[in-house]
Structure formats: structure tokens, C-alpha cells
Amino acid sequence: MVARQTIIVVGCGRLGSMLANRLSSRGRDLVVVDRDEAAFQSLSTAFSGFRIIGDAAELAVLRRAGIERASCLLATTRHDNVNLMVAQVAKTIFGVPQVIARVFDPTRQAVYSQFGIETICPTTISADHFLSALQDGPAEGVT
Ligand code: AMP
């Protein structure tokens, strides 16, 4: 059996294109999916992966992206619902070994983890950075 190697990046916005460009420069096999063809303009000239135009919420689009051979799927759109749905499909229907989704709503992180989906929450990360950047530190007794 051929080992799964491909990384699928869903959404080629600011986050998705940055990830795709960096992973491509590390020599990883990549497929980027976006429903808007113009989004691929954010990919660098050195990007060596594949581009798939389509709605990642559709199974046929994920199949065209080679999800059956994917080792990892990164769901990076700005829509929590889309990311959750695509990540869930990748995990439960296609058995993608590692699935990581961007989720803005911290209260939804628990839902994702129930499905074995890792999450990155920009809201929580930003709050942590703001608090650690505060010059005067937290008030006594406050965490
Ligand atoms: P940003 O707005 O910079 O976070 O970028 C999000 C990207 O995700 C945009 O390029 C959108 O076109 C793309 N996107 C949003 N929803 C979907 C979807 N269902 N399937 C594929 N791409 C999507």
C-alpha cells in the first residue's frame, strides 16, 4: 500500500496561502482547495503543489483533491461551520490521519476534539498574546 503523503489545505486566504507557501518550500506534497480561483494568486511563484477550484464541503471536490491519499488536512477558511464540516468528513468518511481546523469560537473547540479533530483557535491565541504583552501584568488573584 502506498503511504499517504499529501497535505490538503482548504481555503487559500491569508492563513491558507501562508501555510501552503511555507509547506511547499519545505518540499511537501500539497493540494490547495478554494472555491474562488482568484484566491490562488496569493500562492508564491515557487509553489509547486496542485490547485483545486471548488467548494470543499462537497465530497466530489475533496475526492478530486486526493483526500483518499491525504496524510493531513488543514481547514483554514474563516468560517467555523465550513471548517468543522470539512474536518469531520475528512476524519470520519475518509479516515485522514491528522485533521487540524481553524476555529474562532473557543466554545466550539470541545466539539471538534470529540471527533478527533485538532483545533487552532486564533481568539484564544490572541488573548494569550495580549495578556502576556501587558506591561503591568495581571491584577492580584486574576488569571
Ligand atoms: P480568509 O478570508 O483570508 O480567511 O480566506 C478564506 C478563504 O477560504 C477564501 O479564499 C475563501 O474563498 C475560501 N473558502 C471559504 N469557504 C470555502 C469553501 N466552502 N470551500 C473552499 N474554499 C472556501
Side-chain angles (χ1 to χ4, degrees):
M1 197 167 77
V2 181
R4 288 169 171 250
Q5 290 185 344
T6 308
I7 297 174
I8 297 178
V9 177
V10 172
C12 193
R14 283 161 293 188
L15 175 61
S17 61
M18 183 181 284
L19 286 168
N21 287 331
R22 289 193 186 180
L23 288 166
S24 178
S25 70
R26 291 181 191 180
R28 304 300 299 263
D29 290 342
L30 276 175
V31 180
V32 182
V33 181
D34 201 293
R35 61 186 175 187
D36 178 8
E37 187 176 6
F40 296 126
Q41 287 169 3
S42 311
L43 294 172
S44 74
T45 50
F47 176 77
S48 60
F50 292 93
R51 303 158 174 83
I52 298 288
I53 304 163
D55 184 342
E58 294 177 12
L59 296 188
V61 171
L62 291 175
R63 283 203 175 93
R64 262 201 292 139
I67 196 161
E68 281 118 336
R69 301 182 301 282
S71 60
C72 180
L73 180 138
L74 310 176
T76 76
T77 82
R78 65 169 62 206
H79 310 289
D80 284 3
N81 286 339
V82 171
N83 292 341
L84 175 57
M85 202 183 112
V86 172
Q88 211 178 323
V89 165
K91 197 78 194 174
T92 59
I93 297 181
F94 295 105
V96 176
Q98 187 174 28
V99 177
I100 310 174
R102 165 156 86 165
V103 54
F104 286 99
D105 182 351
T107 63
R108 301 182 75 175
Q109 283 189 286
V111 180
Y112 283 66
S113 66
Q114 278 172 10
F115 292 104
I117 296 161
E118 295 172 52
T119 54
I120 306 286
C121 180
T123 314
T124 307
I125 292 169
S126 300
D128 290 345
H129 281 275
F130 270 95
L131 289 174
S132 61
L134 271 177
Q135 300 294 317
D136 55 358
E140 198 114 329
V142 177
T143 54

